[in-house]
Amino acid sequence: MVNFIWLFFIVAGFIVAAVKGNIELVTQAAFEGAKSGVTVCFGLISVMVFWLGMMRIAEDAGLLQKLAVLLRPFVRFLFPSVPKNHPAIGYIMSNMSANILGLGNAATPMGIKAMQSLQSLNPNKDMASPAMCTLLALNTASITLIPTTLIAIRMNYQSVNPTEIVGTTLVATFISTLAAIAVDKWYRRRNRPTFQSPPANPRGKG
């Protein structure tokens, strides 16, 4: 679906430029967009390196472990089907901790590991399990204390006060997290029979 959306934008841009008789504007906009993308990426590198370093310090100091301990009851509530000592629990808590600290890039590897671990518990390999859907919802709508990437982008574009979005981002992500949990719970109750394990073959058949 995303591919079709981008294709629509590209085709619409060409059509509008052709109608206005300024087809060269499309090429100009493409080069300017590419240049702007590279500039933004270079501006993000220093900030991301700084916060990844801070996260490593926090990890070595035990801060992430303490945060994981605080998250454990919350994780057990959201993922009741995952065994208590399963490796997926650790990956999920690491993913949530990184997202809360605004380190989306650092959270991605842990999220992938968590999904792989949850897939090993999935009785139906062709369908995402409820736990996998919950993790995806939380990873997308995670509450964020420090929106590192957005602050870096605002700094790159010479914002007067790049950190002024911290408060509103916290409120917005808190609401989005509550909404994600509510929708996830509603779908779990609605589709409970669908997610049940497939019945085993009767003895002597298959």
Side-chain angles (χ1 to χ4, degrees):
M1 178 59 71
V2 175
N3 293 335
F4 287 111
I5 293 175
W6 281 110
L7 178 61
F8 169 77
F9 284 142
I10 294 172
V11 173
F14 273 105
I15 293 175
V16 172
V19 170
K20 291 188 174 182
N22 292 322
I23 196 68
E24 67 278 0
L25 291 178
V26 177
T27 304
Q28 181 181 350
F31 281 110
E32 289 181 354
K35 179 181 177 180
S36 178
V38 172
T39 302
V40 171
C41 288
F42 276 114
L44 290 175
I45 290 176
S46 59
V47 177
M48 292 305 301
V49 168
F50 170 77
W51 282 110
L52 287 174
M54 292 294 291
M55 185 178 182
R56 182 60 183 269
I57 294 174
E59 182 179 2
D60 292 342
L63 178 61
L64 292 185
Q65 288 79 357
K66 292 180 180 179
L67 182 58
V69 171
L70 294 176
L71 291 175
R72 184 175 292 275
F74 184 65
V75 171
R76 294 299 306 152
F77 169 73
L78 292 176
F79 300 89
S81 62
V82 181
K84 183 177 180 180
N85 295 321
H86 195 273
I89 295 294
Y91 291 133
I92 291 171
M93 290 190 296
S94 296
N95 174 263
M96 293 178 63
S97 300
N99 276 323
I100 288 174
L101 296 176
L103 300 171
N105 290 345
T108 300
M110 292 297 101
I112 294 174
K113 287 287 188 180
M115 280 294 185
Q116 292 173 342
S117 295
L118 293 176
Q119 178 69 353
S120 67
L121 299 173
N122 189 4
N124 188 351
K125 304 301 182 182
D126 296 327
M127 180 184 297
S129 67
M132 296 171 73
C133 294
T134 301
L135 177 61
L136 180 61
L138 288 177
N139 191 68
T140 304
S142 175
I143 185 171
T144 304
L145 297 179
I146 307 173
T148 308
T149 303
L150 289 178
I151 292 175
I153 293 175
R154 289 170 62 87
M155 290 175 61
N156 190 67
Y157 282 99
Q158 308 300 321
S159 173
V160 176
N161 187 4
T163 60
E164 66 180 353
I165 61 171
V166 171
T168 53
T169 300
L170 179 60
V171 174
T173 54
F174 178 76
I175 295 174
S176 66
T177 301
L178 291 181
I181 293 173
V183 172
D184 175 72
K185 291 294 184 182
W186 182 77
Y187 268 104
R188 276 183 183 243
R189 290 194 298 267
R190 181 184 178 187
N191 299 318
R192 186 171 299 170
T194 304
F195 291 123
Q196 290 178 349
S197 302
N201 290 331
R203 182 176 298 177
K205 295 184 178 180

